[in-house]
Amino acid sequence: MILKEFLELRRDRRTMAMIIALPLLLLVVFGYAANFTVDDVPTRVYGPNAQAVAGKLHTPFDVKKVDPAGTEEQARDVLRSQDAGAVVVAPSSGPATVFIDGSNLFSAQSVTAASKASGGVLQPEVLFNPELKTSWTMVPALVGMIMAFIGTIITAIGLVRERQAGTLEQLAVMPFKATDVIVGKIAPYFVLAAFDMVLVTVLGCLLFGVPFAGSFLVLALGAALFLFCVLGIGVLISSVSQNQGQAMQMALLTLMPQMLLSGMIFPLSAMAAGVRWIGYLFPLTYFNMVSNGVMLRDAPISSLALPLGLLAGMAVLVFSFAVLRFRRDLAPTAPKAARDAVAAGGTR
């Protein structure tokens, strides 16, 4: 009996892949990415005394630009667009003020601690999350995680269930294109995920006092592009899964790296370079940038053009591939289903 179970497990390649891949994934993530300490925060120094103050800054300040003509208003705009994690405004006399992007929680904590340890040389002022509340940065990320869960797991399991029930074979003989079938199948999941997004956003703002400073239309655009990505991934998973168990396994394998490497739990800037670039391959990383920017910083759409553009590109790529794969799955069943229908009509 034991030998039989080992043989069956060996034949189940997807389960074997999960048994091997999951421990390796956890090892890499917690070995190279599990780091809450940010040692390098991109910093700009503005003001008449900028040059002198910049020379005195040490870790975690990573000075990228020194501009003696820069103003406090420019500092706030730079942080709102997330062109830097901190901006030091150094007047001609007196202590310099460090404006800190509080929406990036771990970077803000490192800069705040360094500023307080400067002996009064630097006066910290945290913007967008003055009290550095964890809930303010977690709620925008949870919005993306919930949509990813529904779009990937629920969609994959639902389509596999219909394949097992024979529903897709019936659709193969109907005058529908593969695109029509996919859109019809994923539309309920799209609506459900959109409803959950609104629900979580509203409850997060009401229960935890999370501000919604930006445009809901920009957030809705980012959410729609992100949903097309994760729904396409769900369709792809369903096309290579034979049963609901396999679909669940593969969905978890795609979701876990996104949650761990998207900056939701561990800051991307604190990860090793190789692991960080893996995180930049996931759509959840870019939706987190959009949701965080819109809700906390009132970021203009121009500063979110990069994550929105990458989400759009991913959506087109993943959804197009899902349509092609789904069409291939429907094509072999169509002739057989058509012959069965013709034969049934002939016997009558």
Side-chain angles (χ1 to χ4, degrees):
M1 179 65 71
I2 296 176
L3 180 60
K4 173 179 174 296
E5 291 300 322
F6 271 114
L7 291 174
E8 290 185 358
L9 185 61
R10 188 181 66 177
R11 296 190 189 101
D12 190 348
R13 297 180 179 178
R14 292 178 178 84
T15 301
M16 288 294 296
M18 185 172 184
I19 292 174
I20 296 173
L22 190 57
L24 291 177
L25 171 66
L26 294 176
L27 176 65
V28 170
V29 168
F30 287 99
Y32 292 102
N35 184 9
F36 296 105
T37 304
V38 179
D39 296 324
D40 296 302
V41 177
T43 304
R44 296 188 181 188
V45 185
Y46 291 164
N49 202 27
Q51 199 68 47
V53 172
K56 299 177 182 178
L57 297 178
H58 304 289
T59 303
F61 298 100
D62 182 14
V63 178
K64 299 294 186 182
K65 183 178 180 179
V66 177
D67 183 6
T71 64
E72 179 179 324
E73 183 179 355
Q74 290 176 325
R76 294 177 182 272
D77 291 339
V78 164
L79 293 181
R80 182 170 289 107
S81 300
Q82 215 171 36
D83 293 328
V87 180
V88 179
V89 178
S92 55
S93 62
T97 301
V98 184
F99 293 94
I100 305 167
D101 178 11
S103 67
N104 193 335
L105 183 63
F106 299 105
S107 295
Q109 289 174 340
S110 295
V111 174
T112 301
S115 301
K116 291 180 178 179
S118 67
V121 176
L122 300 175
Q123 299 293 330
E125 182 174 338
V126 182
L127 306 180
F128 317 128
N129 185 4
E131 298 180 15
L132 294 179
K133 293 182 178 179
T134 304
S135 59
W136 282 31
T137 58
M138 286 300 297
V139 169
L142 285 173
V143 172
M145 189 187 73
I146 290 171
M147 289 196 296
F149 178 86
I150 294 175
T152 304
I153 294 183
I154 307 301
T155 302
I157 291 177
L159 291 177
V160 170
R161 183 174 60 245
E162 293 202 16
R163 177 182 288 109
Q164 290 179 308
T167 306
L168 294 181
E169 290 188 358
Q170 297 175 10
L171 292 174
V173 298
M174 295 182 180
F176 293 134
K177 297 179 180 179
T179 307
D180 299 332
V181 175
I182 291 181
V183 172
K185 291 297 180 184
I186 69 172
Y189 303 114
F190 187 97
V191 174
L192 178 62
F195 173 78
D196 279 343
M197 181 203 75
V198 175
L199 180 64
V200 172
T201 302
V202 172
L203 289 179
C205 294
L206 294 177
L207 297 178
F208 301 103
V210 180
F212 196 101
S215 168
F216 182 78
L217 292 178
V218 176
L219 181 63
L221 173 61
L225 295 173
F226 177 66
L227 274 177
F228 275 111
C229 289
V230 294
L231 288 170
I233 293 173
V235 173
L236 288 175
I237 290 173
S238 71
S239 67
V240 298
S241 302
Q242 301 300 320
N243 52 60
Q244 296 181 47
Q246 291 180 357
M248 175 69 77
Q249 291 174 355
M250 296 190 67
L252 288 175
L253 280 177
T254 62
L255 280 175
M256 186 171 292
Q258 290 198 73
M259 289 187 291
L260 295 175
L261 300 178
S262 64
M264 174 182 173
I265 300 176
F266 308 112
L268 281 170
S269 56
M271 297 180 187
V275 178
R276 186 189 313 143
W277 282 107
I278 295 175
Y280 287 134
L281 299 176
F282 299 131
L284 184 57
T285 301
Y286 301 104
F287 179 75
N288 286 344
M289 294 179 184
V290 174
S291 61
N292 186 290
V294 170
M295 293 182 67
L296 299 184
R297 301 195 312 274
D298 187 18
I301 192 171
S302 58
S303 69
L304 299 175
L306 179 60
L308 287 172
L310 289 171
L311 279 176
M314 289 181 177
V316 172
L317 182 64
V318 173
F319 207 74
S320 299
F321 190 60
V323 170
L324 293 175
R325 178 79 192 195
F326 203 75
R327 181 184 293 124
R328 193 183 74 175
D329 286 350
L330 288 179
T333 62
K336 180 180 182 301
R339 288 196 301 270
D340 291 345
V342 173
T347 55
R348 286 196 295 268

